[in-house]
């Protein structure tokens, strides 16, 4: 695996490790208040990024498109914004970061839709 696929995979692995450590910390402290943020880290980070990696590995032509690089940047940005944004909301703070992260994460998925549609074989 190389290129965009590798970057997505590494993002997925790092997200999975962080999610596991966070889960262990919540369990050890018996404080699960931030579990929705933890869940988004696991779902968008570990699962989503890894699925993107598999797609780009299986369809290498899709990874050669400039849109794939934009997809990576937007996906990582969405993840970096939404997870702490949810944690801030759950801690009683403002929801602005979570909202921005949600919109950016949605944009990531729409970009992925465009990449997938462009890469289909006719």
């Amino acid at each position: 695996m190389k290129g965009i696929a590798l970057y997505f995979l590494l993002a997925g692995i790092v997200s999975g490790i962080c999610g596991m450590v966070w889960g262990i910390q919540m369990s050890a402290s018996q404080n699960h208040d931030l579990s929705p943020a933890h869940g988004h880290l696991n779902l968008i980070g570990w699962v989503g990024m890894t699925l993107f990696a598999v797609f780009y590995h299986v369809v290498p032509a899709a990874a050669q498109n400039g849109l794939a690089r934009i997809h990576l940047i937007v996906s990582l940005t969405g993840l970096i914004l939404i997870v702490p944004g949810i944690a801030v909301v759950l801690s009683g703070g403002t929801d602005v970061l979570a909202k921005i992260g949600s919109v950016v994460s949605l944009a990531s998925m729409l970009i992925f839709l465009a990449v997938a549609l462009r890469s289909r074989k006719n």
Side-chain angles (χ1 to χ4, degrees):
M1 191 174 287
K2 59 185 177 178
I4 295 294
L6 178 61
Y7 296 135
F8 271 115
L9 183 63
L10 292 174
I13 292 168
V14 169
S15 295
I17 291 168
C18 290
M20 289 176 186
V21 169
W22 197 0
I24 291 167
Q25 181 274 326
M26 285 190 293
S27 178
S29 69
Q30 295 296 304
N31 182 348
H32 298 89
D33 292 346
L34 299 179
S35 60
H38 158 79
H40 278 76
L41 175 59
N42 286 331
L43 184 59
I44 295 173
W46 168 226
V47 177
M49 299 295 173
T50 302
L51 286 173
F52 295 150
V54 170
F55 171 81
Y56 285 115
H57 182 70
V58 171
V59 186
Q64 303 307 315
N65 188 319
L67 199 53
R69 285 184 284 285
I70 293 169
H71 179 222
L72 175 64
I73 292 165
V74 173
S75 295
L76 292 173
T77 302
L79 179 65
I80 289 167
L81 294 174
I82 197 169
V83 173
I86 293 170
V88 167
V89 170
L90 294 170
S91 299
T94 179
D95 64 354
V96 173
L97 194 60
K99 287 180 178 179
I100 294 169
S102 296
V103 171
V104 174
S105 293
L106 174 61
S108 164
M109 191 56 73
L110 293 171
I111 293 167
F112 183 58
L113 173 63
V115 169
L117 289 174
R118 281 182 164 189
S119 67
R120 62 191 164 108
K121 294 181 181 184
N122 294 325

